[in-house]
């Protein structure tokens, strides 16, 4: 973080000021300044996205009477222990993706939305009136338990506001979709939702469908 913040100069002492300083650099007329800021942003995001401690996955389903104690229940899945060195290969895959994208527009896009707070009012996503518009849809959230970019509490709060949501907390995983356990849960969730939609009565995906 210090190396990332230091590029912001005098703004490094305040998190919001660091964000705004990067926003200025990423929109600079000077190409070298934009590239340096984009590279620094992507390097920080890459480093903050990876975690190596493996503890398994906790599945918190809508039927859980108490989501809070699910971690100690029988729904806990063991980690997907890959062959020796699989986390090293994960890091190599992430680095290859980092080089392939060459920063590009992603740092500016992420920074732009961060500066404008996602163009949403505080708490807008969790408001009952907004959740009610989508709660009839089958949904599964996959969340890394060690995610520093989107902290687990954000997914937990969403699950509390959306009782029908199935939340999968992957212990030890961070933000990266390349994490083996995250990838497994994402693919499994996609298959499950696809099956539910294939079996669903006509009109389930309509906004006018009743909540389950």
């Amino acid at each position: 973080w210090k190396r990332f913040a230091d590029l912001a100069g005098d703004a490094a002492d305040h998190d919001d000021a660091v964000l705004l300083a990067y926003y200025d650099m990423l929109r600079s007329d000077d190409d070298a300044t934009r590239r340096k800021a984009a590279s620094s942003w992507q390097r920080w995001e890459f480093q903050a996205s990876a975690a190596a401690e493996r503890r398994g996955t906790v599945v918190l389903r809508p039927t859980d009477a108490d989501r809070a104690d699910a971690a100690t229940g029988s729904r806990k899945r063991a980690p997907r222990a890959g062959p020796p060195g699989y986390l090293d290969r994960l890091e190599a895959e992430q680095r290859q993706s980092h080089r392939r994208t060459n920063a590009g527009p992603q740092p500016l896009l992420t920074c732009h939305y961060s500066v404008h707070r996602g163009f949403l009012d505080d708490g807008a996503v969790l408001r009952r009136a907004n959740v009610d518009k989508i709660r009839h849809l089958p949904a599964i959230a996959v969340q890394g338990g060690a995610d520093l970019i989107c902290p687990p509490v954000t997914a937990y709060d969403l699950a509390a506001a959306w009782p029908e949501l199935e939340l999968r907390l992957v212990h030890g995983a961070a933000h990266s979709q390349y994490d083996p356990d995250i990838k497994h849960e994402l693919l499994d969730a996609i298959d499950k939702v696809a099956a539910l939609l294939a079996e669903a009565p006509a009109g389930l995906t309509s906004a006018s469908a009743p909540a389950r």
Side-chain angles (χ1 to χ4, degrees):
W1 166 258
K2 185 177 186 306
R3 181 167 57 179
F4 174 76
D6 281 348
L7 188 61
D10 294 338
D13 293 336
H14 306 282
D15 291 352
D16 287 345
V18 170
L19 177 62
L20 293 174
Y22 266 88
Y23 194 46
D24 288 339
M25 289 187 288
L26 289 168
R27 296 180 298 153
S28 171
D29 292 333
D30 181 63
D31 183 66
T33 298
R34 292 196 308 271
R35 288 179 178 273
K36 186 175 183 180
S39 178
S40 176
W41 182 287
Q42 191 171 45
R43 181 172 56 248
W44 160 248
E45 189 167 0
F46 164 75
Q47 292 171 337
S49 294
E53 185 180 1
R54 320 312 301 169
R55 291 186 180 177
T57 300
V58 175
V59 180
L60 286 72
R61 298 193 175 91
T63 54
D64 291 337
D66 185 357
R67 292 178 184 271
D69 65 8
T72 60
S74 60
R75 292 171 293 279
K76 188 171 183 179
R77 281 208 286 266
R80 291 176 56 79
Y86 85 117
L87 288 174
D88 293 333
R89 288 196 294 277
L90 162 64
E91 182 175 352
E93 186 176 355
Q94 288 179 310
R95 292 189 183 279
Q96 182 179 5
S97 174
H98 170 71
R99 290 192 298 269
R100 185 169 57 249
T101 57
N102 192 28
Q106 187 62 43
L108 176 57
L109 181 64
T110 306
C111 186
H112 182 65
Y113 269 77
S114 298
V115 166
H116 293 90
R117 300 184 181 276
F119 299 95
L120 294 169
D121 296 332
D122 288 344
V125 175
L126 302 179
R127 289 191 193 123
R128 178 65 181 271
N130 292 331
V131 173
D132 283 348
K133 296 175 183 178
I134 58 173
R135 61 186 299 182
H136 62 283
L137 299 172
I140 300 172
V142 178
Q143 170 70 48
D147 192 338
L148 301 177
I149 296 176
C150 298
V153 67
T154 58
Y156 191 86
D157 288 345
L158 179 61
W162 187 351
E164 294 82 9
L165 178 73
E166 178 179 310
L167 172 59
R168 301 185 181 186
L169 291 172
V170 185
H171 286 295
H175 187 73
S176 176
Q177 63 182 354
Y178 297 105
D179 181 283
D181 293 331
I182 290 284
K183 183 184 294 186
H184 167 74
E185 295 298 338
L186 286 172
L187 293 174
D188 183 74
I190 290 171
D191 288 343
K192 181 175 179 178
V193 171
L196 288 172
L197 291 176
E199 299 172 358
L204 175 64
T205 58
S206 169
S208 60
R212 290 186 297 164

